[in-house]
Amino acid sequence: MFEKNGPEIAAVIVEPIAGNMGVIPGTQEFLDTLRQLTTDAGSLLIFDEVMSGFRAAYHGAQSLYHIKPDLTTLGKVVGGGLPVGVFGGRRDIMEHITPDGSVYHAGTLSGNPLAMTGGLSTLNQLNDNLYKNMTAKTTRLVEGIKAAADAHDVPITVHHVGTMWSYFFNGGDVNNFADVQASDVAYFAKFFKQLLQQGIYTAPSQFETNFMSSKHTTQDIDDTIQAFNDAFDAVNNG
Ligand SMILES: Cc1ncc(COP(=O)(O)O)c(C=O)c1O
């Protein structure tokens, strides 16, 4: 595509860590290649970190891959629970936006003071230590889930990056959308309902992501692992 049409491609936008098909981290090679191709062609590389921003890592997925995109989009966590969308990046690009440049950008809720305050208050509480902590909790949880599935002979693949995690009822590698589609969604549907009966509400689709928060306790995690065990029992014996 780039070999033929490179100069005509304005931009490539990508979730570096996909969250909209469960968690599928892009490979280093894939993202390095995108960076190289876009740079060579004079196209922009835009990282959609709406989901991975302030979740995969304190400084986003781009800090994990050591790749600097030309622009980044953010949402969700950056609003501290209030609805906010953010985009930013290279100064020479951002200077095209008003008031510095000629590209007019405005909206009813742009710069909304309440949302800005909510977001700022959240961001002010984040730090590297918190992420270390949340990542350790995520690891404890997904290892427990994997062990529970193994103990019940249920093929599973569990992915996690930082606070993002998801489980696929698929015993093979899950590296792309086709792999996710090959998961046992019928088992997922039954399992999800059983888990809900145990009081644990994970994302209701095989194609969604779950998130650890700073408020989850070790007890919450261990209770969740127990609920997974009980739900596997119920589905397998039901
Ligand atoms: C990764 C990602 N990008 C973009 C969006 C869409 O954002 P918006 O609804 O502001 O267009 C979402 C929404 O959930 C998302 O998860």
Side-chain angles (χ1 to χ4, degrees):
M1 184 97 179
F2 264 93
E3 274 162 26
K4 224 172 130 209
N5 301 316
E8 288 165 32
I9 297 172
V12 172
I13 182 162
V14 65
E15 281 184 86
I17 297 171
N20 281 304
M21 49 175 159
V23 182
I24 307 286
T27 64
Q28 185 74 47
E29 188 191 359
F30 172 66
L31 295 169
D32 280 342
T33 302
L34 284 183
R35 179 63 286 182
Q36 194 58 51
L37 288 172
T38 47
T39 302
D40 291 349
S43 311
L44 300 183
L45 179 62
I46 305 172
F47 272 7
D48 175 345
E49 295 228 44
V50 167
M51 204 181 291
S52 59
F54 299 103
R55 279 189 176 134
Y58 186 22
H59 298 286
Q62 53 199 267
S63 69
L64 300 177
Y65 291 94
H66 306 287
I67 293 176
K68 203 166 180 186
D70 301 299
L71 290 172
T72 301
T73 60
L74 294 163
K76 308 192 196 289
V77 175
V78 78
L82 289 159
V84 180
V86 173
F87 67 98
R90 269 174 37 195
R91 176 177 294 277
D92 62 310
I93 299 170
M94 295 305 292
E95 280 176 351
H96 286 289
I97 313 284
T98 51
D100 290 340
S102 59
V103 180
Y104 194 66
H105 175 78
T108 309
L109 296 174
S110 293
N112 178 270
L114 178 62
M116 293 299 101
T117 305
L120 198 57
S121 304
T122 299
L123 299 192
N124 280 338
Q125 291 191 38
L126 304 182
N127 56 61
D128 285 319
N129 229 359
L130 201 69
Y131 281 85
K132 223 163 125 188
N133 221 308
M134 289 191 289
T135 301
K137 286 194 291 187
T138 311
T139 306
R140 182 187 181 101
L141 176 65
V142 299
E143 284 176 354
I145 291 171
K146 170 86 175 103
D150 289 349
H152 291 85
D153 285 327
V154 176
I156 199 168
T157 295
V158 190
H159 285 177
H160 67 109
V161 186
T163 70
M164 301 170 72
W165 61 277
S166 60
Y167 55 99
F168 305 94
F169 290 121
N170 184 331
D173 288 340
V174 185
N175 293 327
N176 52 46
F177 188 54
D179 293 343
V180 181
Q181 283 179 306
S183 303
D184 189 344
V185 289
Y187 191 93
F188 184 96
K190 281 188 270 180
F191 183 79
F192 170 78
K193 282 187 191 140
Q194 281 302 330
L195 204 53
L196 202 52
Q197 290 203 351
Q198 313 290 333
I200 298 296
Y201 182 33
T202 61
S205 151
Q206 184 72 98
F207 299 86
E208 294 272 7
T209 294
N210 302 282
F211 310 105
M212 183 65 66
S213 87
S214 61
K215 290 297 177 195
H216 287 112
T217 63
T218 305
Q219 190 63 52
D220 292 332
I221 293 165
D222 292 347
D223 290 348
T224 304
I225 295 168
Q226 185 57 50
F228 267 74
N229 272 294
D230 294 344
F232 283 129
D233 273 341
V235 175
N236 290 3
N237 301 322

